[in-house]
Amino acid sequence: MHLLYQPMNTIQATTYPVHFSDKAYQELNLYLKENTYSSIFILVDDNTFECCYPKFIQRLETDLKIELIQIDPGEIHKNLDTCLGVWNVMTELGADRKSLLITLGGGVITDLGGFVASTFKRGIDFINIPTTLLSMVDASVGGKTGVDLGVLKNQIGVFANPQMVIVDPEYLHTLDPREIRSGTAEIIKYGMTHDIRLFNQIKDNTELNIVDLIHRSVEIKNEVVTEDPKEKGLRKVLNWGHTIGHAVESYFLDAEHKENLTHGEAIAIGMVCEAYLSSRILNFPEEKIAEIKNAIVNIYGKIEILPEDINPIMALLIHDKKNEAGIVKFVLLNDYEDFELSCEASEELIRESINFYIN
Ligand code: GLY
C-alpha cells in the first residue's frame, strides 16, 4: 500500500474536534494556552514511547509541567491492575482535577487512558492521540473507554468523550504492514455499510490516499455515534463483520495450536461469513459475496480454519456478551450501503457461512 498524505479538515464531533496531521499540533498548543490546566500527564506504552513520543514531544509547546507514564504494551495489560498503577503514579506525582491526560498509543492506550482519566477524581480531561490505523479509525472516536476483566473484553468502562482527538498519519510509519492491514479491515467495514468507494479503493489497490480513507472513516463513525452514542440502535452497525469475527478472534487467541490473528484479520473473515448470511437471509447479491471473499483473501491471505474449528467458534459466538437474551444478532446487508441491524440466523446457516469462507 502506498501512503499518500494531504491535509484534511477538522471533523467536529458533538463535544470535541478531531484534528488531522500538522495542523493538529497547532490546535493542541493553542488549546493548552487557552485552558487553565495545572499539569499534563502523557500515557504511552514501551512501543509508543520509543516510536511516537520523540516526535510528539517536539511538537508540544507548553510551559505546563509534563509527566510521562509508561505501561507495558499489549491487550494483556488492558486491565484494572494497570489502571491502579497509573492512578497511583498520578496521585504520587500530584495530579489534580485540573490535570490533563494525553493518551499516545493504540486502542489499549486510548481505551485504558480514557477510562483512567474519566474516573480519576471523578473525571479529568483527556486528549486521544491514536498511533495505529485501527485506533485512528475506531477506538479514539466515539467515547467508549474501558478495560478487560479476565478474558472478557471491555467489560469495565464508561462512555466519556475526549477534549480533542489528534490523527497524525505520520505515526503509521512505525507500524508493520500486518498492523496496517488490521486497521484496513475497519475501513472496509465503513465502506460496505456507508460508502462503497472506500472498499473499492482498497480492493482495486490503486494509489491509496490513506489520510483520505482515515478521514472518511472518522466522518462515518462520527455520524453514527452522534446519532446513537450509547449503542441503543444505529451504533450496532459498527459491528458489521464483528459478530462472527470476534468469535474467530477469541478462538485463535485461546487455541494453543493456533497463531493469534490480528483484530482486522478476524473481522475480515467475519465480513465474508456475514456477507454469506446476508445473501441467504436478505438477498444480498451473490456476485458481491464472491467479490468480498476474493478481495479479503487477496488482502489477508487464506487463513486456515479447519472443519473441527467450527464447533468451538460456534460456542464462543453463542456466549458473546453482545447477545441479547441469549440470541445472536447480526448486522446484515441488503446491499452495499443498505444494512439491517438486528437479524437472526439459524445455527445451521451460521455453520454454512463459516464453511463458505473455508471452501
Ligand atoms: N468499535 C465499535 C464502537 O465504537 O461502537
Side-chain angles (χ1 to χ4, degrees):
M1 184 191 288
H2 299 271
L3 306 177
L4 298 179
Y5 297 146
Q6 65 185 49
M8 282 287 155
N9 293 336
T10 293
I11 295 173
Q12 187 58 47
T14 14
T15 58
Y16 59 96
V18 184
H19 295 301
F20 288 80
S21 304
D22 274 352
K23 178 173 165 255
Y25 299 99
Q26 292 159 21
E27 297 287 348
L28 173 64
N29 292 331
L30 189 65
Y31 174 83
L32 293 175
K33 263 202 195 99
E34 286 174 347
N35 286 275
T36 52
Y37 290 111
S38 56
S39 55
I40 300 176
F41 288 77
I42 304 175
L43 183 68
V44 292
D45 65 23
D46 299 351
N47 298 327
T48 58
F49 174 65
E50 199 176 307
C51 301
C52 307
Y53 180 74
K55 171 182 175 167
F56 173 66
I57 204 68
Q58 256 187 2
R59 308 300 302 270
L60 187 64
E61 287 167 14
T62 180
D63 295 331
L64 293 171
K65 186 172 78 142
I66 297 172
E67 302 283 5
L68 183 68
I69 304 181
Q70 190 172 338
I71 62 173
D72 293 330
E75 184 80 25
I76 195 166
H77 299 290
K78 188 181 170 183
N79 56 34
L80 283 171
D81 285 343
T82 306
C83 293
L84 200 58
V86 180
W87 285 318
N88 278 329
V89 170
M90 288 174 74
T91 305
E92 280 158 22
L93 294 174
D96 61 26
R97 280 205 166 142
K98 293 298 290 175
S99 297
L100 172 74
L101 181 74
I102 296 179
T103 66
L104 183 68
V108 172
I109 290 283
T110 57
D111 281 10
L112 183 144
F115 177 66
V116 161
S118 50
T119 48
F120 185 77
K121 293 186 189 275
R122 298 207 176 87
I124 63 167
D125 286 351
F126 65 101
I127 288 177
N128 283 339
I129 309 186
T131 57
T132 62
L133 185 55
L134 195 57
S135 59
M136 287 179 192
V137 296
D138 187 18
S140 67
V141 177
K144 283 187 177 176
T145 76
V147 292
D148 303 337
L149 184 68
V151 294
L152 303 173
K153 285 189 78 174
N154 301 322
Q155 191 75 355
I156 308 295
V158 294
F159 283 101
N161 282 322
Q163 298 304 112
M164 178 187 291
V165 177
I166 290 181
V167 175
D168 181 358
E170 285 282 325
Y171 294 122
L172 298 178
H173 285 306
T174 64
L175 294 181
D176 76 43
R178 196 173 171 208
E179 282 303 318
I180 297 277
R181 283 196 296 274
S182 181
T184 304
E186 296 289 348
I187 302 177
I188 292 174
K189 172 189 85 175
Y190 296 120
M192 290 180 187
T193 56
H194 284 83
D195 185 349
I196 196 59
R197 289 173 310 164
L198 298 181
F199 177 47
N200 287 340
Q201 274 189 40
I202 292 168
K203 168 169 69 65
D204 300 340
N205 206 1
T206 42
E207 292 256 297
L208 286 178
N209 184 330
I210 193 76
V211 182
D212 220 357
L213 293 174
I214 297 170
H215 191 270
R216 184 71 188 113
S217 298
V218 173
E219 244 174 17
I220 294 167
K221 176 147 191 191
N222 184 44
E223 272 166 35
V224 170
V225 300
T226 300
E227 191 165 328
D228 178 21
K230 299 265 171 90
E231 200 166 324
K232 303 267 185 257
L234 179 65
R235 189 168 180 160
K236 293 180 206 286
V237 69
L238 301 178
N239 295 328
W240 160 246
H242 284 58
T243 311
I244 293 178
H246 270 154
V248 170
E249 187 178 10
S250 302
Y251 174 64
F252 274 72
L253 195 68
D254 289 350
E256 274 172 17
H257 57 294
K258 298 274 186 194
E259 208 189 301
N260 290 352
L261 298 181
T262 63
H263 178 70
E265 285 163 348
I267 281 1
I269 295 171
M271 288 190 281
V272 173
C273 300
E274 292 176 23
Y276 179 88
L277 291 181
S278 300
S279 75
R280 295 297 174 270
I281 296 169
L282 298 178
N283 293 321
F284 181 71
E286 285 288 333
E287 72 278 9
K288 291 184 181 167
I289 46 171
E291 175 180 65
I292 291 174
K293 184 172 169 183
N294 285 340
I296 294 294
V297 171
N298 262 337
I299 298 169
Y300 297 95
K302 187 71 190 300
I303 291 155
E304 188 181 64
I305 300 182
L306 302 170
E308 58 265 34
D309 297 328
I310 297 181
N311 274 344
I313 292 173
M314 289 301 296
L316 286 161
L317 192 62
I318 286 159
H319 291 112
D320 191 288
K321 77 171 185 309
K322 292 212 167 170
N323 296 343
E324 290 162 28
I327 297 170
V328 189
K329 296 277 172 113
F330 292 91
V331 175
L332 296 181
L333 300 179
N334 291 305
D335 205 336
Y336 291 142
E337 303 178 10
D338 179 4
F339 52 84
E340 305 270 341
L341 288 178
S342 287
C343 305
E344 289 176 28
S346 68
E347 197 177 317
E348 193 190 342
L349 211 50
I350 302 172
R351 286 176 186 278
E352 227 176 271
S353 78
I354 302 173
N355 271 313
F356 172 73
Y357 175 81
I358 293 178
N359 297 318

